[in-house]
């Protein structure tokens, strides 16, 4: 049997063999239409690891009987790309499957661009990064962009059954039985990564001894041992990480403490304390704000404690703070008020500072009428006196809209309303 991994051997040779990604390859979908028209265009396939990007690229080339070469944008040099172009001239056409396409340096990119423009090369770039964030616009504009999704559990199971039956490239020449519990565990713990599932299956098959009847039984115990490293998949440099951070903040904003702790757990597993800390402090002031003013200082204190403790103990202050943030009343009134004031300034609404508020701490200021009419609030009952503070152009502007979700801001609203009632 080939020494190549099972996941490599089981790569599809046509689009009919592709597992999952029905939104791209099923009848009437874009890539399916390309294949039927026999007009393959340059494209970038992006998505999480193990979703079949390289497999789809090779399947497309094989399905259309097109010559293809596989290169890696990091490992392979410009000279390797020059060789591919020379082969394209010989064949008249060539598909370049370029892994890690987001890592193309400028020299390689400048070399490839004219050949993509002339269609001498059809490039299929593969990357786990979001092309809108990581790929140069010059390359991106010459390619169609297709996102691949994590495979569903049923897709993973379909691939496992196929590998167990395939006598040429799979495990079909070995007597293997897999229990329902083991199958379920592999499909679930792969987290949508087909490569991880197939490689875990292969490890289980070759590390499990035969029983008396010469059959390898893959049970839950062996499946757990072979898949334990894939029970959680999270690349803190990838797009999925930012999706988790976004879900973390939105769950706290939505006061769902269970979801907040779930996403906190995922971030802790990724080991990214810096991102956790930054989001927690931002959330405390952006989403909770005046509804619970102590949330900010307490979140910062929890972050500092976590940084001093380090993992695994750091999870304890983080759990306390995230629970409080999720269950705190919410208010964004303060920063929204500032944003409204900034919006006025940026659209030219400002005006001159009223004379009585201007600096009067210099000789001759009084002769200019600066500060002479200013009324010092502490000289009046309750340290308040009605006078204009905003420029004339904005004297009736109202930026702050208090919320009543928390007791502290309810008290602020009472003061705010009382002042507004006393204004002339």
């Amino acid at each position: 049997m080939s020494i190549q991994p099972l996941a490599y051997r089981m790569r599809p040779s046509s689009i009919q063999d592709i597992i999952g990604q029905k939104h791209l390859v099923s009848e009437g979908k874009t890539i399916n239409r390309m294949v039927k028209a026999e007009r393959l265009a340059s494209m970038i396939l992006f998505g999480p690891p193990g979703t079949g990007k390289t497999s789809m690229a090779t399947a497309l080339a094989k399905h259309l009987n097109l010559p293809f070469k596989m290169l890696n944008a990091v490992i392979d040099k410009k000279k390797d790309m020059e060789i591919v172009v020379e082969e394209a001239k010989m064949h008249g056409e060539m598909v370049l499957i370029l892994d890690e396409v987001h890592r193309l340096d400028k020299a390689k990119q400048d070399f490839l661009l004219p050949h993509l423009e002339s269609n001498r090369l059809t490039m299929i770039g593969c990357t786990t990064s979001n092309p809108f964030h990581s790929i140069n616009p010059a390359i991106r504009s010459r390619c169609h962009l297709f996102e691949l999704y994590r495979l569903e559990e049923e897709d993973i199971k379909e691939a496992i059954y196929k590998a167990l039956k395939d006598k040429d490239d799979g495990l079909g020449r070995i007597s293997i039985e897999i229990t329902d519990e083991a199958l379920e565990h592999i499909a679930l713990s792969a987290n949508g990564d087909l490569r991880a599932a197939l490689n875990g299956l292969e490890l289980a098959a070759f590390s499990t001894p035969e029983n008396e009847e010469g059959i390898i039984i893959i049970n839950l115990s062996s499946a757990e041992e072979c898949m334990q490293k894939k029970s959680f998949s999270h690349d803190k440099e990838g797009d999925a990480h930012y999706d988790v951070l976004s879900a973390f903040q939105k769950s706290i904003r939505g006061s769902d403490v269970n979801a907040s702790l779930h996403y906190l757990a995922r971030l802790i597993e990724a080991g990214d304390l810096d991102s956790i800390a930054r989001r927690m402090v931002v959330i405390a002031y952006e989403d909770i704000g005046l509804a619970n003013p102590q949330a900010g200082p307490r979140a910062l204190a929890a972050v500092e404690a976590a940084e001093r403790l380090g993992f695994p103990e750091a999870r304890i202050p983080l759990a306390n703070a995230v629970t409080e943030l999720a269950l705190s009343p919410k208010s964004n009134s303060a920063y929204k008020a500032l944003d409204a004031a900034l919006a006025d300034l940026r659209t030219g609404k400002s005006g001159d500072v009223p004379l009585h508020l201007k600096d009067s701490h210099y000789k001759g200021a009084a002769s200019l009428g600066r500060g002479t009419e200013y009324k010092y609030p502490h000289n009046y009952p309750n340290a308040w006196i009605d006078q204009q503070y905003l420029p004339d152009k904005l004297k009736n502007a109202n930026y702050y809209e208090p919320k009543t979700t928390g007791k502290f801001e309810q008290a602020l609203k009472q003061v705010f309303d009382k002042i507004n009632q006393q204004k002339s």
Side-chain angles (χ1 to χ4, degrees), residues 313-421:
E313 289 84 358
R315 76 191 191 284
I316 300 168
L318 295 178
N320 281 276
V322 166
T323 300
E324 178 185 357
L325 293 174
L327 296 178
S328 286
K330 307 297 188 291
S331 174
N332 62 358
S333 60
Y335 93 87
K336 282 294 185 181
L338 176 59
D339 285 352
L342 287 169
D344 271 354
L345 285 176
R346 290 164 183 168
T347 54
K349 298 176 185 177
S350 57
D352 198 19
V353 175
L355 276 175
H356 61 280
L357 298 184
K358 289 187 175 181
D359 182 22
S360 60
H361 293 87
Y362 60 93
K363 190 175 181 179
S367 66
L368 298 174
R370 302 196 172 189
T372 56
E373 299 297 323
Y374 175 62
K375 299 171 184 175
Y376 187 55
H378 293 286
N379 292 337
Y380 297 87
N382 300 316
W384 185 85
I385 183 66
D386 186 18
Q387 64 183 328
Q388 182 180 328
Y389 291 95
L390 279 167
D392 286 341
K393 288 183 179 180
L394 293 168
K395 66 180 181 179
N396 295 318
N398 186 33
Y399 299 123
Y400 177 56
E401 297 288 344
K403 293 191 174 183
T404 57
T405 48
K407 290 182 180 180
F408 183 83
E409 196 166 11
Q410 288 174 17
L412 293 184
K413 183 179 185 301
Q414 289 178 0
V415 176
F416 182 70
D417 290 344
K418 184 177 179 181
I419 289 171
N420 284 336
Q421 289 168 7

Side-chain angles (χ1 to χ4, degrees), residues 30-328:
T30 310
I31 289 181
N32 187 290
R33 294 204 306 271
M34 276 189 191
V35 170
K36 284 193 172 181
E38 298 185 353
R39 293 290 298 272
L40 197 61
S42 290
M43 65 183 76
I44 294 171
L45 305 177
F46 66 102
T51 50
K53 298 178 291 294
T54 307
S55 295
M56 182 179 290
T58 55
L60 290 172
K62 289 177 180 178
H63 190 106
L64 294 173
N65 294 315
L66 295 174
F68 69 92
K69 290 289 182 181
M70 296 183 64
L71 296 179
N72 185 294
V74 179
I75 299 170
D76 294 301
K77 298 178 173 59
K78 179 184 170 185
K79 182 67 177 176
D80 299 303
M81 296 181 181
E82 291 173 351
I83 294 171
V84 173
V85 170
E86 290 305 312
E87 291 186 24
K89 291 176 182 177
M90 293 170 53
H91 290 287
E93 56 186 340
M94 176 69 70
V95 176
L96 170 60
I97 300 173
L98 191 58
D99 206 8
E100 302 284 345
V101 65
H102 66 286
R103 299 287 296 277
L104 267 180
D105 62 36
K106 190 174 188 304
K108 295 173 186 174
Q109 175 187 292
D110 290 345
F111 173 75
L112 283 176
L113 282 174
H115 302 297
L116 297 181
E117 194 75 50
S118 66
N119 288 328
R120 175 166 286 146
L121 280 181
T122 299
M123 186 187 79
I124 305 180
C126 303
T127 176
T128 57
S129 296
N130 186 325
F132 291 100
H133 297 163
S134 59
I135 294 179
N136 189 290
I139 290 286
R140 198 174 65 228
S141 67
R142 289 165 173 80
C143 299
H144 297 278
L145 306 180
F146 298 113
E147 182 175 9
L148 278 68
Y149 303 141
R150 291 188 184 279
L151 274 69
E152 300 293 334
E153 289 177 39
E154 292 306 314
D155 295 326
I156 301 284
K157 291 177 183 177
E158 177 187 342
I160 290 173
Y161 284 130
K162 188 174 182 180
L164 290 173
K165 292 177 182 178
D166 192 317
K167 294 183 178 180
D168 296 321
D169 299 313
L171 303 171
R173 285 178 286 172
I174 307 171
S175 295
I176 299 174
E177 292 181 8
I178 185 168
T179 67
D180 291 342
E181 293 83 0
L183 177 66
E184 193 71 32
H185 179 75
I186 293 175
L188 180 64
S189 61
N191 196 27
D193 184 335
L194 181 56
R195 184 189 300 113
L198 291 178
N199 289 340
L201 174 69
E202 186 172 40
L203 177 59
F206 288 107
S207 63
T208 304
E210 297 177 350
N211 64 11
E212 294 177 356
E213 287 78 32
I215 300 171
I216 295 170
I217 306 293
I218 300 176
N219 57 25
L220 179 58
S221 176
S222 57
E224 286 175 339
E225 290 179 6
C226 295
M227 292 298 296
Q228 61 183 353
K229 291 185 179 179
K230 292 300 296 182
S231 61
F232 177 79
S233 176
H234 188 115
D235 174 11
K236 71 176 182 179
E237 300 299 327
D239 295 323
H241 181 60
Y242 295 99
D243 291 339
V244 173
L245 281 170
S246 176
F248 178 55
Q249 181 161 0
K250 288 170 182 171
S251 297
I252 294 176
R253 181 183 297 145
S255 300
D256 189 324
V257 67
N258 294 314
S260 302
L261 291 169
H262 167 77
Y263 292 115
L264 173 64
R266 291 173 69 159
L267 293 166
I268 288 173
E269 283 294 293
D272 191 1
L273 182 55
D274 288 342
S275 293
I276 295 171
R278 183 178 180 277
R279 288 295 173 121
M280 283 175 58
V281 175
V282 168
I283 289 164
Y285 288 97
E286 177 184 350
D287 296 305
I288 293 157
L290 296 175
N292 179 8
Q294 289 304 308
R298 282 202 285 264
L300 182 58
V303 163
E304 291 172 348
E307 289 171 344
R308 177 166 294 190
L309 290 168
F311 290 125
E313 289 84 358
R315 76 191 191 284
I316 300 168
L318 295 178
N320 281 276
V322 166
T323 300
E324 178 185 357
L325 293 174
L327 296 178
S328 286

